[in-house]
Amino acid sequence: FHQLEGLAIDEELTLADLQGTLLAFARQMFGEETQVRLRPGYFPFTEPSVEVDVSCFRCGGTGFEGSQRCQTCKGEGWIEILGSGMVDPNVLDHVLASGYDKERVQGFAWGMGIERIAMLVYQVPDLRMLFDNDLRVLDQFGAGA
């Protein structure tokens, strides 16, 4: 799979800045009504680490489409989309020569699978379909050339 990553380093960055950045991304990608939630997680280069979920854009976060369980979020109302967290200060030891003082700066980072986002946006039921190189398959999801 392919990974898209983000990194911000500055003075006074907080987990709230990360959450606001991810909320802006989620609303641009999935719609203005989208909400995000952060859950504790573990990723080797961030501390604290959080897993990020978005409210289901298909069922509006209810978990149901009519009387049926939502197929997109599997009835949960939330969809996990990426991992993130505050950059571990020990990571900044590796960029001291670049002028970063780990006593003054901090940062946040996130990473997500591009195919995962495409699957959600285009309602693709199986990741392998994106790699079959059959434009007829991609056209049915509006993702073809």
Side-chain angles (χ1 to χ4, degrees), residues 12-132:
E12 300 181 19
L13 284 179
T14 68
L15 200 58
D17 296 308
L18 170 61
Q19 185 173 14
T21 300
L22 294 175
L23 179 60
F25 161 76
R27 289 186 170 170
Q28 184 69 37
M29 197 78 207
F30 302 115
E32 282 300 314
E33 300 302 315
T34 304
Q35 296 297 314
V36 298
R37 74 175 179 186
L38 308 181
R39 293 180 293 113
Y42 171 77
F43 302 102
F45 301 108
T46 58
E47 180 61 39
S49 298
V50 291
E51 296 180 23
V52 180
D53 303 331
V54 294
S55 56
C56 182
F57 48 88
R58 184 145 185 193
C59 68
T62 66
F64 291 92
E65 291 184 276
S67 62
Q68 300 293 316
R69 186 176 74 132
C70 177
Q71 293 300 313
T72 301
C73 68
K74 299 185 178 27
E76 296 293 322
W78 295 94
I79 305 166
E80 182 179 341
I81 62 165
L82 60 88
S84 62
M86 299 304 292
V87 176
D88 188 317
N90 293 323
V91 172
L92 295 176
D93 283 338
H94 300 285
V95 292
L96 288 175
S98 299
Y100 288 102
D101 177 357
K102 75 175 188 177
E103 300 301 321
R104 292 185 45 229
V105 299
Q106 53 218 19
F108 60 76
W110 51 266
M112 67 179 159
I114 296 171
E115 293 87 355
R116 172 102 171 107
I117 301 302
M119 284 181 66
L120 293 170
V121 169
Y122 294 109
Q123 302 285 313
V124 178
D126 186 336
L127 180 68
R128 293 171 291 195
M129 294 175 82
L130 296 175
F131 297 98
D132 284 342

